[in-house]
Amino acid sequence: MRKKIIAGNWKMNYTASQAEDFLLSILDLINTDEVDVVVCPNYTALDRIQNILDDKKVKLGAQNVYFEPKGAYTGEISVDMLNALNVEYCIVGHSERRQYFNETNLDVNKKVKVLIEKGIKPILCVGETLEERNENKLFEKVELQIKEGLLDVSAEDVKNNVVIAYEPIWAIGTGVTATSAQAEEMCAYIRKVIAQIYGENVSESVRIQYGGSVNAKNANELLNMDNIDGALVGGAALTNDFVAIVNYEN
Ligand code: 13P
């Protein structure tokens, strides 16, 4: 049985103190051992947030990392810096990073590898544009993102340390959620791609989230699909809706 993982990607929202206030307002309402709950604040809030997550009921995630270990990379953050703040998960290859900061599958792959090497679990984001979906290129796009994103990552690491997030770009921040059938179809396809590369044993263990306008209303249905093992939540993770999503009915 794959344990569900529900992560809040707070993106570029909340100052450190706002992030702390918000989390303190919902923390007591999150009482589930059945789901891994992760919050991903911006870099400036990681330290404040780690200090209130001592009991590990909610885990800490980052939104990005740079693959070089240190040096003259103005504005970047290394894996060691995240580790020093007890970060357990890190989103990589989010479509906003690919779109606005020109991240390629190769960059994403370097980040995945350096995170795993240093004990942080990558949440590898993949997904197609509306145009790609309309032209029926969605499966080839996502397959390439998976294959290149996981290049040279071992079966054992994929099994134990990688989370994949399917986030169709047309569903992010738009209020247009993929139907549960569309989300399930792609998550099942991703599992098939993983099976082809790494075998059934790995594909049955790897956790695959859906992301894109997940909210308190649609979470139940999405999270009860066979191949959807959690959610990566944006806008709704900044509100009390996150509590309802985490406490979804299964
Ligand atoms: P929304 O939930 O706001 O659509 O964002 C999804 C997302 O990009 C999470 O990483």
Side-chain angles (χ1 to χ4, degrees):
M1 247 310 253
R2 296 181 294 269
K3 190 175 186 186
K4 295 266 198 265
I5 174 166
I6 297 179
N9 174 8
W10 294 352
K11 306 191 182 183
M12 197 174 72
N13 294 290
Y14 291 153
T15 63
S17 61
Q18 288 167 341
E20 184 176 49
D21 288 349
F22 169 65
L23 191 61
L24 286 173
S25 77
I26 62 164
L27 204 51
D28 284 346
L29 306 171
I30 296 175
N31 279 313
T32 171
D33 292 332
E34 286 160 34
V35 177
D36 282 332
V37 182
V38 184
V39 290
C40 305
N42 72 65
Y43 288 143
T44 67
L46 286 172
D47 195 22
R48 289 276 273 271
I49 296 299
Q50 70 138 339
N51 286 323
I52 54 174
L53 292 184
D54 278 351
D55 66 357
K56 298 284 176 216
K57 188 172 68 175
V58 174
K59 297 169 198 312
L60 187 61
Q63 297 176 16
N64 185 28
V65 69
Y66 194 51
F67 48 75
E68 292 292 349
K70 64 176 180 177
Y73 302 101
T74 302
E76 293 297 331
I77 301 281
S78 73
V79 181
D80 285 348
M81 293 169 189
L82 297 183
N83 261 327
L85 297 172
N86 296 316
V87 167
E88 289 185 56
Y89 291 88
C90 183
I91 297 169
V92 283
H94 192 282
S95 62
E96 288 148 14
R97 299 231 38 103
R98 295 177 189 261
Q99 184 181 351
Y100 304 131
F101 303 97
N102 303 316
E103 281 191 16
T104 64
N105 285 342
L106 190 64
D107 297 327
V108 172
N109 177 244
K110 285 182 189 166
K111 294 179 180 196
V112 167
K113 285 191 289 196
V114 78
L115 284 165
I116 291 173
E117 195 183 304
K118 301 220 168 182
I120 296 179
K121 293 176 166 44
I123 299 177
L124 167 62
C125 299
V126 297
E128 81 286 357
T129 63
L130 188 57
E131 199 181 4
E132 288 160 343
R133 174 165 282 264
N134 289 339
E135 291 173 359
N136 207 22
K137 291 184 176 151
L138 66 166
F139 296 107
E140 64 184 90
K141 163 83 176 287
V142 168
E143 183 167 341
L144 192 67
Q145 287 179 321
I146 297 281
K147 285 187 170 159
E148 294 192 344
L150 294 178
L151 206 65
D152 298 327
V153 178
S154 72
E156 197 175 313
D157 279 326
V158 173
K159 181 174 174 177
N160 298 320
N161 297 319
V162 172
V163 177
I164 295 170
Y166 169 53
E167 297 206 306
I169 295 165
W170 47 272
I172 294 176
T174 58
V176 181
T177 319
T179 63
S180 50
Q182 287 172 324
E184 168 67 13
E185 182 184 35
M186 182 59 88
C187 291
Y189 184 78
I190 291 170
R191 204 174 299 288
K192 201 176 86 186
V193 171
I194 296 291
Q196 280 163 2
I197 311 171
Y198 295 105
E200 290 285 331
N201 180 270
V202 175
S203 77
E204 284 306 313
S205 302
V206 70
R207 294 187 291 181
I208 305 174
Q209 298 172 308
Y210 166 78
S213 298
V214 174
N215 59 38
K217 289 205 184 87
N218 59 33
N220 269 2
E221 189 175 326
L222 287 160
L223 289 167
N224 279 294
M225 302 306 284
D226 285 350
N227 285 288
I228 300 179
D229 306 316
L232 185 54
V233 187
L238 297 167
T239 72
N240 278 356
D241 266 25
F242 191 63
V243 176
I245 296 169
V246 166
N247 295 328
Y248 77 99
E249 283 165 32
N250 55 358

